[in-house]
Amino acid sequence: MTDAGSPGADETTFIEVVRSGDPARFALVTERHRRELQVHCYRMLANYEDAQDLTQETFLRAWRKRESFKGHAALRTWLYRIATNACLDFLEKREDRTPVPAGLEHSEVLYLQPYPDRMLPEDPQESVVARETIELAFIVAVQHLPPRQRAVFILRDVLGWPASKAADALELTVASVTSALQRARVTMRGRLPGRRLDWRGAELSKDERGVVKSYIEAHERNDLDGLASLLREDLRFAMLPEAGTTTTTAKDAVDGWVSGGLFRRGHDDWRGIATTVNRMPAAALYLRTPGDPEYRLFAIAALRVADGKIAELTGFDATGKPWLGLPPTL
C-alpha cells in the first residue's frame, strides 16, 4: 500500500465510516491495527503497560481527529503518525522517562517490561518486523535516544519510511530528520553488542531450549552448582525494577542470589515452565511458600544464550501481570 494516488479500498471504507459517524464501525476498521501499533508504542516506551495505554490513546485521538482523514495517506500511516506523537507527548510529560545517559557503560532502563510474544502482530509481514526488533537489547538501546531521535530512528530504520514521510509525521524538515537519523545510528551502533549482526528468527534453537530446561530443573532441585554451571563468567544480570545491572562471575551471581534470600527456607520450593518473551527464551518461575498448597507465579527470567551458556539474564517481577499470559498458579 502506498500513500500516493487515489485512496485504496481500506481508505475508501474508512472515509465512509468517518462520514457515518458510527463509533462501532470506526472501532471495527481500526482495531485490526492494534497489535502493530502496540509494538510500535512499546519500542518507543519499553514498557508493556504504557504501550497498551498509548495504543488506546491513539484510537481515542484518531476518533477525535477522524474528520481530518481525507485518504491522502494510507490509514495505517495515519494511525502510526498519531501513535508516534501520542508517545512523544507522553515522554515530554514524564521526567522519569528521560533518555538513559549515554555516558554510562551499563546504564539501566528501570521501567523496562517484557513483551509477551502472543501479542505480536498476526500478519506475517508485520510479525517479521516485530520479531527482528523486539529483543530486550534492541529495546534498551533505543531508550538511549532522545524521544524525537527515537521516533525518527523507528520510523526510518524499523518501519522503513522515507525521510519525507517521517518528516511530515513529526512536523520536521527532511534535513532535520536526516540529521537526527545519523545521530541515532551512531548511538545505536555504540549500544548494541558487535556480535549482534542478525536478529533472531521465529524459533528457539536447540541450545536455547536445552538451557531453559536445565535452568528450570536447577531451580526445582535447588542445585546451586548446576545453576552456576549454566552461567557465563561474564554474565550480565539485572532484576527489574530494582537497580543494579552488573557484569559478574557465575559464582558471585549465585552467591548474590542466595544472600538475597533465594534458595533459603521459604524461597526454596520452585517449579517452572519454559516460555518466550521478546522473542527470547525465558523461564517462568513459580514459588510455593510454607503453608500454601499452590505454586504462585513469582518471576520471569529472559535469557540470552551464547555457546550453550547464559550470557545475559534479565529478571522481571511477574506478580500481578496477567497480560504475560502465564497461569497464575501451578
Side-chain angles (χ1 to χ4, degrees):
M1 182 185 298
T2 68
D3 288 349
S6 302
D10 281 355
E11 289 67 49
T12 300
T13 300
F14 187 70
I15 291 171
E16 292 174 357
V17 169
V18 167
R19 288 172 179 167
S20 76
D22 185 342
R25 290 183 64 195
F26 180 91
L28 188 64
V29 171
T30 56
E31 180 64 25
R32 70 174 181 271
H33 296 281
R34 179 180 292 275
R35 288 195 177 194
E36 61 178 297
L37 290 171
Q38 187 164 294
V39 169
H40 178 61
C41 292
Y42 177 75
R43 290 195 194 96
M44 287 287 295
L45 306 174
N47 182 282
Y48 182 84
E49 290 167 316
D50 289 342
Q52 280 187 312
D53 292 344
L54 269 294
T55 302
Q56 193 59 36
E57 172 65 16
T58 296
F59 289 136
L60 291 174
R61 290 189 183 194
W63 171 254
R64 291 195 296 266
K65 298 178 179 180
R66 63 191 183 278
E67 298 291 346
S68 69
F69 184 82
K70 304 301 182 185
H72 303 310
L75 173 58
R76 179 175 179 270
T77 298
W78 186 69
L79 291 172
Y80 266 96
R81 174 176 181 157
I82 294 172
T84 302
N85 284 287
C87 289
L88 290 173
D89 290 345
F90 172 85
L91 291 169
E92 185 178 352
K93 296 173 183 176
R94 292 290 297 268
E95 293 183 359
D96 61 330
R97 300 303 171 86
T98 55
V100 179
L104 298 180
E105 182 182 359
H106 294 314
S107 45
E108 300 166 308
V109 178
L110 299 181
Y111 51 84
L112 177 68
Q113 290 182 334
Y115 199 94
D117 287 1
R118 65 188 179 86
M119 295 304 297
L120 290 172
E122 294 175 333
D123 177 84
Q125 184 175 354
E126 293 305 320
S127 185
V128 168
V129 174
R131 285 169 173 161
E132 288 177 345
T133 54
I134 201 72
E135 279 196 37
L136 291 177
F138 184 91
I139 297 298
V140 169
V142 169
Q143 302 306 300
H144 289 77
L145 302 175
R148 205 156 291 272
Q149 269 189 43
R150 192 181 309 176
V152 167
F153 177 79
I154 292 171
L155 293 177
R156 293 281 284 115
D157 276 10
V158 176
L159 298 181
W161 285 21
S164 58
K165 187 195 290 190
D168 181 61
L170 299 172
E171 298 183 347
L172 298 172
T173 65
V174 171
S176 295
V177 163
T178 301
S179 176
L181 180 60
Q182 290 172 344
R183 296 196 301 273
R185 284 172 173 169
V186 169
T187 300
M188 291 294 287
R189 281 195 294 268
R191 297 305 311 179
L192 290 174
R195 60 183 176 275
R196 291 179 187 240
L197 300 178
D198 298 305
W199 296 95
R200 75 164 43 258
E203 302 297 329
L204 299 184
S205 69
K206 182 179 178 181
D207 265 1
E208 289 171 325
R209 292 194 299 271
V211 168
V212 172
K213 182 174 183 289
S214 297
Y215 179 83
I216 290 172
E217 290 174 348
H219 274 78
E220 293 179 343
R221 296 193 308 265
N222 285 280
D223 181 1
L224 303 185
D225 290 338
L227 185 58
S229 71
L230 296 171
L231 309 176
R232 275 181 39 156
E233 284 303 302
D234 57 347
L235 173 73
R236 289 268 294 127
F237 168 71
M239 182 67 202
L240 298 174
E242 300 175 7
T245 301
T246 58
T247 299
T248 181
T249 67
K251 182 179 185 304
D252 286 347
V254 174
D255 288 347
W257 298 337
V258 172
S259 65
L262 295 183
F263 305 107
R264 295 184 178 182
R265 180 167 174 76
H267 284 80
D268 60 350
D269 191 358
W270 299 95
R271 291 291 181 271
I273 57 176
T275 184
T276 59
V277 293
N278 294 76
R279 299 307 306 169
M280 300 173 67
L285 298 174
Y286 292 74
L287 175 67
R288 185 171 67 176
T289 55
D292 192 336
E294 295 183 304
Y295 292 87
R296 301 189 182 276
L297 183 58
F298 181 78
I300 187 165
L303 312 176
R304 189 177 73 79
V305 177
D307 301 323
K309 287 183 178 282
I310 298 171
E312 296 176 14
L313 192 163
T314 307
F316 299 94
D317 177 3
T319 58
K321 296 179 175 62
W323 45 265
L324 284 169
L326 295 166
T329 59
L330 292 181

